[in-house]
Amino acid sequence: MRNSSLFLRSGLTVAAASALSFLVAAGPAEAQSGISVSTTGTTVSVTTRACTNVNGSWGTASLLNSRQANFSQGRQVSLSGTTALQSAAWSNVSAGTYTVIVICSDGTTAGTQSVIVSPSVRPTISATATASPSRGVMGGVGGGSQDYGTLTLVGGGVLVGTAVAGTAWYLRRRTSKPYRL
């Protein structure tokens, strides 16, 4: 019974791992939507291979925020490129979730894809002058920044020596007696 449940769990694990490998091998979202969207800082860019040149135009891409519902409400940019690859980009995009829609010049939709723009973290550099301590940094272990006299140091050494001698005496006395219940 114990071996059969072990084999069942192992079989389920192998099945899940193989299903995951098939999902990973399925490829990026570009194959499904016809467009590829990427972000770099506050710039969002889209590329596609689906559009053809009609009267000198490849098509238009639109960047919609979460409050916009259709293509005409978004920030529109004309596609540029070659027969092999067309692209568009938007700069100074604020943080949030956006939808990119590409419509080719022949009226077909090349694809729709969502993208998340992360907030850009700009380091704040500030320089302020502060007075330096007159006697150095007041750090150390315990009261390490104070200067103790010779008598205090000798007294501390005697206490440490007594503790070491007492521990050695206790351990020797304990090991010399036989073990009793």
Side-chain angles (χ1 to χ4, degrees):
M1 179 68 183
R2 192 175 285 178
N3 288 337
S4 64
S5 67
L6 177 64
F7 288 129
L8 177 63
R9 284 190 217 138
S10 299
L12 291 175
T13 304
V14 170
S18 63
L20 181 62
S21 66
F22 284 125
L23 290 175
V24 171
E30 179 180 350
Q32 296 171 359
S33 70
I35 64 174
S36 176
V37 180
S38 62
T39 63
T40 305
T42 61
T43 302
V44 177
S45 60
V46 60
T47 59
T48 185
R49 291 181 166 82
C51 296
T52 57
N53 192 341
V54 176
N55 296 328
S57 173
W58 294 102
T60 308
S62 182
L63 181 70
L64 287 77
N65 64 26
S66 60
R67 295 178 309 275
Q68 296 168 330
N70 59 32
F71 185 85
S72 62
Q73 293 176 335
R75 288 174 56 182
Q76 296 180 12
V77 176
S78 295
L79 291 174
S80 61
T82 63
T83 55
L85 186 69
Q86 303 85 43
S87 64
W90 299 268
S91 58
N92 298 323
V93 178
S94 59
T97 302
Y98 295 88
T99 301
V100 176
I101 302 172
V102 176
I103 297 181
C104 298
S105 58
D106 62 0
T108 60
T109 302
T112 302
Q113 189 172 340
S114 294
V115 64
I116 297 173
V117 178
S118 299
S120 62
V121 178
R122 295 182 181 161
T124 304
I125 300 172
S126 63
T128 57
T130 58
S132 61
S134 61
R135 292 182 15 185
V137 177
M138 301 293 284
V141 179
S145 62
Q146 294 181 1
D147 187 19
Y148 291 106
T150 307
L151 182 61
T152 306
L153 294 176
V154 169
V158 168
L159 287 175
V160 169
T162 304
V164 169
T167 302
W169 173 77
Y170 175 76
L171 289 176
R172 182 174 174 175
R173 185 173 166 252
R174 182 174 169 213
T175 57
S176 66
K177 293 182 181 178
Y179 180 72
R180 295 183 205 143
L181 290 176

